[in-house]
Amino acid sequence: TILKKNNPNYPALQNSPEGMEGIAKRFVAFNGAVDRCQLEWLRTTLEKARQNGEKVVLLSHQPILPGSSTPVCLIWNYQDVLDVLREYNDVVICHFAGHAHKGGYKRDEESGIHFRVIEAVLETPHPDQTYGLVEVFKDKLVLTGYGKCGSGVFDFEHMTKSSSSPSESTRKSSSTPSSSSL
């Protein structure tokens, strides 16, 4: 299995990343992968969206882009998924995930796609609440966060087919989403 091959703590402590470094920490039992059928479905769906002139917001439980959350929460085959998403950076606006309870954000330097991990409601003590509201505009998505959920603005600058990478100004601000419009 994947864990047997990649996690030295398997099987007794298969949820422990102890002794593992960097993104190799993702090989724990509480994570998973996207199989070939799901990857093909994703590619086909994104191609249809492209043909129809549609834009896509991708949702998943687990983070996909290294650096958007802690390595221990990253999907096992993140590179396979990223390869598909980068192929469709003119279609994919952003990716929202959970799983990493503290949240996070990173903009993919290669594609310009935003990757936002939403903070977990279970990290919020009663009676407070944590949630976000996403508004869609012609040129951006605006996430208004409540409780421990951070707010952010996710522009569509990378959405031109002729450009396969974000502009220089986008790269310089790749670690946090803009909040100037809130």
Side-chain angles (χ1 to χ4, degrees):
T1 69
I2 290 174
L3 291 180
K4 186 175 183 179
K5 180 181 175 187
N6 295 288
N7 186 331
N9 306 305
Y10 179 86
L13 298 172
Q14 61 189 1
N15 275 325
S16 173
E18 189 173 329
M20 300 160 73
E21 298 292 325
I23 59 174
K25 291 180 177 183
R26 73 188 186 277
F27 293 110
V28 290
F30 57 78
N31 287 340
V34 174
D35 68 17
R36 284 190 202 133
C37 289
Q38 291 172 311
L39 283 171
E40 190 52 42
W41 172 86
L42 178 60
R43 180 178 267 102
T44 300
T45 301
L46 293 175
E47 183 59 38
K48 286 179 185 174
R50 178 182 278 161
Q51 291 171 5
N52 292 331
E54 299 170 338
K55 302 301 178 200
V56 172
V57 174
L58 186 65
L59 306 171
S60 71
H61 180 77
Q62 285 186 256
I64 295 171
L65 182 67
S68 64
S69 73
T70 61
V72 75
C73 291
L74 193 62
I75 194 168
W76 293 340
N77 64 333
Y78 73 88
Q79 190 62 58
D80 295 335
V81 180
L82 277 177
D83 288 347
V84 173
L85 298 182
R86 287 171 174 161
E87 206 177 310
Y88 292 92
N89 72 321
D90 59 311
V91 175
V92 180
I93 298 168
C94 69
H95 169 259
F96 289 117
H99 195 54
H101 295 183
K102 302 291 184 194
Y105 171 84
K106 186 171 181 182
R107 190 167 197 169
D108 182 30
E109 291 182 13
E110 186 174 323
S111 68
I113 298 171
H114 301 273
F115 289 82
R116 177 66 164 88
V117 180
I118 304 297
E119 294 78 3
V121 66
L122 64 88
E123 297 288 338
T124 305
H126 181 74
D128 295 332
Q129 296 182 4
T130 292
Y131 62 96
L133 172 67
V134 177
E135 295 176 275
V136 181
F137 297 93
K138 185 177 180 179
D139 61 344
K140 65 187 171 209
L141 296 178
V142 176
L143 170 64
T144 303
Y146 298 90
K148 292 189 177 195
C149 182
S151 297
V153 177
F154 310 98
D155 64 59
F156 297 179
E157 288 178 9
H158 68 283
M159 304 293 294
T160 59
K161 184 62 182 147
S162 61
S163 166
S164 62
S165 63
S167 67
E168 190 62 33
S169 63
T170 300
R171 282 192 194 130
K172 291 177 183 171
S173 64
S174 65
S175 61
T176 55
S178 168
S179 60
S180 61
S181 299
L182 296 178

